Amino acid sequence: MRVTSKGQVTIPQNVRENMGILPSETEIEFMQDESGRWYIVKAKTAKKRDSRFRTAHQTGKLTMSTDDIMALTRGESWRSS
């Protein structure tokens, strides 16, 4: 395995699959045992967070009707309902 100039290596696909390492979702840690050997382990995560885009609908509040939005896009005054 070759190390890039940025210190990066590619974890082989079969290792990623076997360890359950997913791109952009999994943190890993480097651990050293008492004999000096290094290991890669999945970091313990407190809770899997949902994407902010998947939860955005829960915070948005609808304050305008479709007719009000269409009136604004046509340059008409906003008639509050």
Side-chain angles (χ1 to χ4, degrees), residues 3-21:
V3 179
T4 69
S5 61
K6 293 182 179 183
Q8 299 170 334
V9 296
T10 300
I11 302 170
Q13 182 176 357
N14 63 331
V15 174
R16 293 190 314 263
E17 290 172 353
N18 202 322
M19 292 181 72
I21 296 173

Side-chain angles (χ1 to χ4, degrees), residues 18-80:
N18 202 322
M19 292 181 72
I21 296 173
L22 302 172
S24 302
E25 292 184 22
T26 307
E27 296 281 330
I28 62 168
E29 294 179 358
F30 293 92
M31 307 292 286
Q32 191 174 26
D33 66 12
E34 52 286 335
S35 67
R37 290 181 138 185
W38 285 93
Y39 296 90
I40 297 175
V41 294
K42 279 177 55 173
K44 302 284 187 213
T45 54
K47 179 184 169 190
K48 184 178 178 186
R49 286 180 26 160
D50 286 332
S51 163
R52 65 178 183 239
F53 301 108
R54 294 207 183 276
T55 58
H57 73 280
Q58 297 170 350
T59 59
K61 303 289 184 238
L62 182 61
T63 58
M64 297 174 68
S65 70
T66 304
D67 290 333
D68 292 334
I69 295 169
M70 293 304 293
L72 280 176
T73 60
R74 293 184 182 122
E76 301 169 7
S77 64
W78 179 27
R79 16 171 237 268
S80 181

